[in-house]
Amino acid sequence: MTIAPERPAAPGTPGPPPRAPSVGEERRSPSQLRATDVYALLGAAAAALSFTGLLFTRLLPFSGAVGFLVVAYLLFLLLYGLLVSFDEAGPAVRDRLAAVVVQSLGLVMVGALACVVVYTLWEGRKALPHLNFFTQDMAEAGPLDPLTTGGIVHAILGTLEQITIALAITVPTGLLCAVFLNEVPGRFARFVRTVVEAMTALPSIVAGLFIYATIILALGFDRSGFAASLALAVMMLPIIIRAADVVIRLVPGNLREAAYALGTSRWRTVWHVVLPTARSGLTTSVILGTARGVGETSPVLLTAGFTAEINANPIEGPQLSLPLATFEFVKSPEPTMIARGFGTAAVLMALVLLLFVIARVIGGRGPGQLTRRQEHRRVRASRQDAERMAARAAARPAGAGPAGAVPPPGPGPVPLTKQPSPPRTPRRSAP
């Protein structure tokens, strides 16, 4: 028995009435938070802490803060799933448990980062308030001198110069390689992508040894800030290429097809369409590469050397950086040197944050968004075009036609065109 399909209603005839929701059906927004959800979360947390404390103090011979937290977290997940199952079905319970696990892991990461930052600032609180810490070097200060003598201005200058040189090498090279991997596919591109992925996990000490063996030992250059910049570039380059490759791959192919349909070449499509569309992601790739290189110590230790004086020339002589200064200061058993080390680490974190903010401001705009200066320039260009067109219209004679019309032919030789023949006179017939 076959069921005939329903025919569509004729125009003008009323359709079937809307189906009423079934009895007992409750519609709920996925983003809505109910009071029972909060009660289940707080109740599971309180019960897990109480039961874990009972286990560690009364019932079982357990001890240790790490074991306490692990057991309490597992009990919390078990009790939370049990409480949620009273009101929700199986898929909803699994979804709630997954959400709690992901959010709790995120809180753990944020808490660990906050602990590192707070601990560094707390240990360096003795050195940071002194102005000389940011304006002097360690040429006239020793391990036993107070914190009112000496500073890290030479390390700040060295870090800025080294990371600037490394970025000048890696940013154009990395972006060009990423464009090559996406726009010129082939066997060689696959080989390059494999090498880049392998270099992503390259240990930093290997990069330092490579530059030390090739630049310092083989070519005879001294330890300098430039050699350290080359070592940092080796560490930063695969990170930038890999991240930029993923970002450019996400650019819709319709944009490229539209550009090619307008007759543009490949390099103009990449320059005017692909790169502006992926600008924010490319900025993130540069940020990731900078974060990898600015905090490296081992390649700088092998290639830059150590000095207590300011060396503004990255080509000649050893040059100190903030990570290397932190490493050298913390090794000392003197409390003042340890305080200088933690203060140097705090300055390094502030410098990295400043670089990230600058990079985000420069490249954080979406595709098609203009800055205030660019908008002002566009408005000024449009106003100039309008004034020029108005002046051209005012200078046109009164009898002239509208702009763009073909002018009437002026005096001159008559063009050689075929003239129409005169009408023939009818011949009279003889009487």
Side-chain angles (χ1 to χ4, degrees):
M1 178 179 178
T2 59
I3 301 176
E6 297 181 358
R7 297 181 178 178
T13 59
R19 182 181 301 176
S22 58
V23 180
E25 181 180 358
E26 181 182 358
R27 298 184 180 273
R28 179 188 174 195
S29 174
S31 61
Q32 184 180 358
L33 184 64
R34 298 179 298 182
T36 55
D37 300 335
V38 180
Y39 296 155
L41 190 66
L42 297 179
L49 290 176
S50 302
F51 191 65
T52 305
L54 183 62
L55 289 178
F56 273 68
T57 56
R58 300 293 182 180
L59 301 180
L60 298 176
F62 292 162
S63 62
V66 177
F68 183 89
L69 293 177
V70 171
V71 174
Y73 183 71
L74 295 178
L75 288 176
F76 164 73
L77 293 179
L78 180 62
L79 294 174
Y80 181 72
L82 180 62
L83 293 176
V84 172
S85 63
F86 293 154
D87 298 330
E88 304 290 347
V93 174
R94 291 191 292 270
D95 179 74
R96 298 290 186 80
L97 288 176
V100 167
V101 170
V102 172
Q103 294 174 3
S104 58
L105 292 179
L107 290 177
V108 169
M109 297 301 298
V110 173
L113 179 61
C115 289
V116 171
V117 174
V118 171
Y119 180 77
T120 303
L121 294 177
W122 178 258
E123 292 294 332
R125 70 188 186 280
K126 298 179 181 179
L128 292 176
H130 299 283
L131 183 60
N132 60 281
F133 186 70
F134 305 97
T135 58
Q136 298 180 6
D137 55 11
M138 295 295 295
E140 300 179 357
L144 300 180
D145 291 333
L147 294 175
T148 55
T149 305
I152 59 169
V153 64
H154 58 309
I156 297 176
L157 180 62
T159 297
L160 291 177
E161 290 185 353
Q162 293 173 14
I163 200 64
T164 301
I165 296 175
L167 287 175
I169 297 173
T170 56
V171 170
T173 307
L175 297 184
L176 184 62
C177 183
V179 170
F180 166 76
L181 294 179
N182 286 273
E183 301 297 330
V184 190
R187 294 183 178 180
F188 186 68
R190 290 194 296 269
F191 173 74
V192 173
R193 182 177 282 109
T194 303
V195 173
V196 169
E197 291 177 355
M199 289 184 61
T200 304
L202 182 70
S204 58
I205 190 66
V206 176
L209 288 174
F210 171 72
I211 299 299
Y212 179 78
T214 56
I215 303 298
I216 298 177
L217 295 182
L219 300 180
F221 288 90
D222 296 333
R223 293 184 178 183
S224 59
F226 181 72
S229 301
L230 294 179
L232 295 179
V234 173
M235 297 300 303
M236 296 165 56
L237 188 60
I239 303 297
I240 295 178
I241 294 175
R242 191 71 182 92
D245 178 26
V246 174
V247 171
I248 295 177
R249 198 181 303 176
L250 296 177
V251 176
N254 298 335
L255 298 179
R256 296 185 178 90
E257 295 174 0
Y260 292 148
L262 293 175
T264 58
S265 59
R266 176 175 294 181
W267 75 269
R268 289 184 65 89
T269 301
V270 172
W271 183 259
H272 293 284
V273 176
V274 177
L275 294 181
T277 304
R279 177 172 48 206
S280 179
L282 296 178
T283 304
T284 303
S285 66
V286 174
I287 289 175
L288 294 177
T290 305
R292 177 66 186 275
V294 74
E296 290 292 343
T297 304
S298 54
V300 179
L301 179 63
L302 293 173
T303 55
F306 181 82
T307 180
E309 299 178 354
I310 296 179
N311 181 17
N313 187 5
I315 306 299
E316 297 180 357
Q319 190 179 58
L320 192 65
S321 62
L322 289 174
L324 186 56
T326 303
F327 176 74
E328 294 292 339
F329 289 158
V330 173
K331 287 194 311 180
S332 176
E334 298 297 329
T336 55
M337 296 297 289
I338 295 176
R340 287 191 180 96
F342 279 99
T344 306
V347 173
L348 178 61
M349 290 190 301
L351 179 61
V352 172
L353 179 61
L354 178 62
L355 294 176
F356 285 2
V357 171
I358 293 175
R360 181 57 61 186
V361 170
I362 293 175
R365 291 179 288 110
Q369 295 182 356
L370 304 178
T371 61
R372 297 185 61 182
R373 180 177 299 179
Q374 291 174 344
E375 291 180 358
H376 178 68
R377 189 182 306 166
R378 185 180 63 177
V379 171
R380 185 174 58 186
S382 300
R383 190 177 301 164
Q384 292 176 356
D385 293 340
E387 292 176 357
R388 185 172 59 254
M389 294 175 64
R392 184 181 302 175
R396 190 178 301 112
V406 178
V414 180
L416 298 177
T417 56
K418 187 177 180 181
Q419 299 294 334
S421 58
R424 296 181 179 180
T425 304
R427 186 176 299 178
R428 294 183 180 178
S429 59

